[in-house]
Amino acid sequence: MASATDSPAGFRPLDPAPLTLRDGSPWCARYGDVYYSPGEGAQESAQVFLAANGLPERWRDGERFTVGETGFGTGLNFLLTWDLWRSRPGRGWLHYLSTELHPFTPPDMARLMGALPAGLRRLGEQLLAQYPEPVSGYHRLVFPDDRVSLTLLFGDATETLAGCHARVDAWYLDGFAPARNPGLWNEALYAQLARLTPPGGTLASFTAAGHVRRGLEAAGFRIVRQPGFGAKRERITGVCESLPQSVDVRPPWLRWPEGADVSERRAAVIGAGLAGTSTALALSRRGWDVTVLDSGPGPAAGASGNPAGIIMAHLSADHGVVSRFTLQAAEFAWRWIESVAACGHPIPRDRCGALWLADGERLRLRLDRIAERLALPHTLMQRVDAPQAAELAGVPLTLGGLYLPRAGWVDPSALCRGQLEAASARLVTGVQVSSLRRTGDAWHVLDANGKSVVEAPQVVLANGLGLPALHPGIETRPLRGQLGIMSPAPSTQGLRRILCYEGYVTPATPAGHVFGATYVRGDTGTDLRAGEHARNLSDLARVWPAALSNGAPANAGRAAVRYNAAGRLPLVGPLPRMDAFEAAYADLHHGRSWDHYPDAPCLPGVYATLAHGSRGLTTTPLAAEVLASLMHGDPLPLSLDLVEALHTARERVRQLKRRP
């Protein structure tokens, strides 16, 4: 059976909601309705949604509590819930999922936040600092100090919830009145609500329309009519009862074990680069005890030790899984880095924007197709000609291309150190991990001499290569890369943007202009080579000749080995027991229905975040959030088709489907 990742989803532009005020309250001309009752919005939301779902009492003792909402709108319900959590918190995390087909733009959201009461306005300012551009997909915002996450699902509510993996404890069924917004209130939506709600989960809504009540009851909710708020006659509350008809929409190889019990929340993370340190932080924020091991003398000893790297989405005209994942990952990475820096860890960085230059006819045609088909907001992408590119760059250029205003550079080694310090994780260095040994309910991490270095119920492979003997058939491939470093000169110090072409060059960083980098498949050498330095200089001179007007810099860069995998995406998730995996799915090529197959046989407690290639700064923070959510049992920050695209055994699944 084909999966969602076999074909690209394509780009679906959103139509943002224009901010209109009527009598001082937000008004939606599209649906001819108010976002909340004038003058009584906060009181109505507190009664109709929060109190009606038994909050805050219901979240008091749980490890996590998840609220789902249809219609984020102005964000008022979220801010009220967050504010209540701050004053009367639960023991674990509050996760808030909210759909929105017509989100406000950041400037309009800023106007709305500015009109809030002082107490909520402070939270609104924190929301604004992370609020995303109106682009379809999942957008996770994390507020670690309060143990709160917000996942915005921009797009059609039914479609976005169909790709959601979560257990929702309480629903706020908002959105506009059913008579004005009939496209929201339908049986397909109610089925998704039921799929995501465990028995005993609740819902509340301002509406008591008969077809809404009947639809929710048919989906498995027991609905009760309640007195309405203010002038409204009735509203409803509901409780989810047993749902034998509920269907697991995941393919069998995505049916992983549930999150770890409290007693098992100790993890050994192998690798202290970007992947390992970001995973350590994501787990520690959830209360895990983490030990990080590395073969080097300290963090970022490998490819993560480069003096600067780029955060930028890898866009494509068809907006397939690579384009979608890296677009979401790049935005998440900046939010993540700011949260690390806010803890007092200095991280040199500059979100200066990048110019993706049309370096050659093939790349020019590709960029033209992206500009024509990918209708991103101008705050994310702009088409520019050569004079516009030169003006943006601050240096002479003869090529146009695409301007990506939200790209930038970061010092990856500083980020690794900051993540490790923020995680308060133990670091064990100089250990060459050779294998794992299972004893009882724990794994022993063994060094090259077979000695146990650390023991933990959960292990994360984050060392690029992985442990090949542990996962035969899951391959990571070495890619040597050499970059150069050039001291700023009068002809280069005016550069204001990153230039991307067949290579890249940064504006002046603390180390200088960083440029490169080569890609040599299968090579694990880390020596500096004159030939690769010359190639980097040649590529740079082709797009920016003035950069070398004072002569070519010496070969004083850095070489390292990255690892990638088939499909140009990292490998993120549980590691299968490959012998059992092969046996379970040997006949996938027959195309039988998924219920013919067992759940994925996995190595208990072993996970991976591997093969990030040259995009580790962009992809590792979101990969860490995916992994920690899986391990802890939290709602996932990505739709299931993207989680499947990251699957550690995705290439083997593809081969098994095609086996003759």
Side-chain angles (χ1 to χ4, degrees):
M1 180 176 288
S3 74
T5 59
D6 288 334
S7 60
F11 181 70
R12 298 185 181 183
L14 296 178
D15 185 9
L19 177 56
T20 304
L21 299 179
R22 175 174 289 191
D23 298 327
S25 296
W27 167 264
C28 181
R30 187 190 313 272
Y31 297 114
D33 204 354
V34 293
Y35 280 90
Y36 48 74
S37 297
E40 299 179 312
Q43 299 95 314
E44 181 178 21
S45 291
Q47 178 179 320
V48 171
F49 297 118
L50 281 69
N53 275 295
L55 306 181
E57 290 77 15
R58 286 181 58 212
W59 66 40
R60 183 175 300 154
D61 299 320
E63 285 294 315
R64 72 190 60 79
F65 194 88
T66 301
V67 175
E69 178 185 39
T70 56
F72 186 71
T74 66
L76 178 62
N77 291 341
F78 167 66
L79 293 174
L80 289 169
T81 305
W82 184 7
D83 190 49
L84 182 61
W85 174 270
R86 282 166 55 90
S87 63
R88 300 175 65 182
R91 290 193 298 112
W93 272 70
L94 172 66
H95 298 284
Y96 196 104
L97 314 175
S98 186
T99 69
E100 182 54 64
L101 180 58
H102 302 291
F104 285 110
T105 63
D108 281 346
M109 187 61 80
R111 291 174 59 195
L112 287 165
M113 296 300 105
L116 290 170
L120 287 183
R121 193 182 311 139
R122 286 191 291 272
L123 297 182
E125 290 168 354
Q126 294 184 54
L127 170 61
L128 272 177
Q130 298 192 45
Y131 186 75
E133 296 293 326
V135 176
S136 57
Y138 285 35
H139 305 269
R140 173 155 291 183
L141 287 58
V142 181
F143 307 94
D145 290 346
D146 292 333
R147 292 176 286 111
V148 171
S149 78
L150 166 64
T151 307
L152 293 168
L153 284 60
F154 282 173
D156 176 82
T158 302
E159 292 180 6
T160 55
L161 289 175
C164 183
H165 183 73
R167 288 172 60 88
V168 178
D169 300 292
W171 286 99
Y172 303 166
L173 302 190
D174 207 351
F176 299 103
R180 298 180 184 273
N181 185 18
L184 173 66
W185 305 88
N186 57 63
E187 286 73 14
L189 174 68
Y190 309 146
Q192 292 303 327
L193 302 180
R195 180 182 70 83
L196 294 167
T197 310
T202 62
L203 63 80
S205 182
F206 64 91
T207 185
H211 68 89
V212 173
R213 298 197 314 271
R214 292 188 293 272
L216 289 168
E217 287 171 343
F221 292 91
R222 177 168 49 84
I223 301 300
V224 178
R225 285 184 280 191
Q226 306 283 359
F229 178 86
K232 296 177 181 176
R233 188 175 65 180
E234 289 183 323
R235 57 186 172 88
I236 59 171
T237 57
V239 177
C240 183
E241 299 180 325
S242 59
L243 299 171
Q245 77 276 20
S246 182
V247 176
D248 193 335
V249 299
R250 297 173 295 172
W253 49 90
L254 271 190
R255 295 176 191 159
W256 47 74
E258 294 302 320
D261 294 333
V262 175
S263 61
E264 298 177 328
R265 290 177 187 166
R266 289 186 296 111
V269 177
I270 301 172
L274 288 166
T277 57
S278 59
T279 300
L281 179 54
L283 288 171
S284 72
R285 283 175 168 174
R286 290 163 167 82
W288 284 56
D289 181 21
V290 182
T291 299
V292 179
L293 304 97
D294 198 273
S295 59
S304 299
N306 287 343
I310 298 171
I311 295 179
M312 188 176 92
H314 190 78
L315 302 174
S316 64
D318 64 9
H319 204 45
V321 291
V322 174
S323 182
R324 290 168 56 212
F325 173 68
T326 58
L327 180 59
Q328 294 180 37
E331 292 298 299
F332 182 83
W334 285 114
R335 295 192 289 267
W336 175 275
I337 290 168
E338 293 305 321
S339 75
V340 177
C343 297
H345 307 293
I347 302 171
R349 63 198 185 280
D350 188 0
R351 201 170 189 176
C352 55
L355 285 160
W356 195 358
L357 300 175
D359 179 21
E361 183 65 11
R362 182 177 177 182
L363 184 53
R364 184 189 68 78
L365 292 173
R366 179 185 173 192
L367 297 184
D368 285 346
R369 287 193 296 270
I370 292 173
E372 291 165 1
R373 300 181 191 177
L374 212 57
L376 290 170
H378 75 280
T379 49
L380 290 176
M381 185 183 77
Q382 302 169 28
R383 195 172 192 169
V384 294
D385 58 22
Q388 291 170 324
E391 183 177 358
L392 285 165
V395 296
L397 295 174
T398 60
L399 297 173
L402 297 179
Y403 175 46
L404 306 176
R406 296 171 72 85
W409 65 264
V410 178
D411 180 339
S413 58
L415 177 58
C416 288
R417 292 191 299 271
Q419 290 177 153
L420 204 56
E421 292 168 7
S424 298
R426 289 181 297 278
L427 176 64
V428 181
T429 59
V431 175
Q432 187 68 50
V433 175
S434 64
S435 61
L436 304 180
R437 183 180 67 224
R438 183 79 171 172
T439 303
D441 294 330
W443 290 97
H444 289 266
V445 180
L446 308 182
D447 65 12
N449 298 316
K451 178 184 176 182
S452 177
V453 181
V454 68
E455 168 270 327
Q458 315 285 322
V459 176
V460 178
L461 306 186
N463 58 335
L465 172 65
L467 294 173
L470 190 67
H471 45 81
I474 298 177
E475 297 180 355
T476 59
R477 306 175 299 200
L479 278 173
R480 169 190 158 86
Q482 179 172 319
L483 56 80
I485 301 172
M486 180 171 59
S487 297
S491 60
T492 67
Q493 60 189 9
L495 182 64
R496 297 194 297 263
R497 319 288 179 194
I498 299 164
L499 304 183
C500 297
Y501 39 98
E502 291 299 329
Y504 67 87
V505 60
T506 69
T509 73
H513 296 287
V514 179
F515 65 97
T518 57
Y519 288 84
V520 186
R521 290 185 175 88
D523 192 329
T524 58
T526 58
D527 55 310
L528 289 178
R529 300 174 185 173
E532 292 182 42
H533 181 58
R535 191 183 319 161
N536 286 334
L537 290 174
S538 174
D539 289 342
L540 175 60
R542 188 174 60 251
V543 299
W544 185 23
L548 304 181
S549 60
N550 294 328
N555 186 7
R558 189 173 189 270
V561 179
R562 324 86 136 190
Y563 288 85
N564 72 355
R568 298 177 298 149
L569 285 171
L571 305 174
V572 182
L575 269 181
R577 286 190 295 113
M578 289 308 295
D579 54 348
F581 192 89
E582 295 275 353
Y585 306 128
D587 63 350
L588 277 180
H589 59 283
H590 289 312
R592 295 191 176 102
S593 63
W594 287 343
D595 57 12
H596 176 77
Y597 299 99
D599 292 354
C602 293
L603 291 166
V606 182
Y607 296 81
T609 171
L610 301 170
H612 291 269
S614 59
R615 302 191 192 118
L617 274 169
T618 299
T619 58
T620 53
L622 186 51
E625 186 68 12
V626 170
L627 210 57
S629 298
L630 286 169
M631 296 172 71
H632 197 69
D634 295 337
L636 294 184
L638 289 174
S639 58
L640 282 171
D641 65 324
L642 289 183
V643 176
E644 183 179 2
L646 302 177
H647 195 287
T648 53
R650 63 172 182 260
E651 180 64 10
R652 194 67 192 113
V653 170
R654 187 186 67 82
Q655 293 166 353
L656 290 169
K657 287 180 179 180
R658 295 175 57 185
R659 176 181 288 173

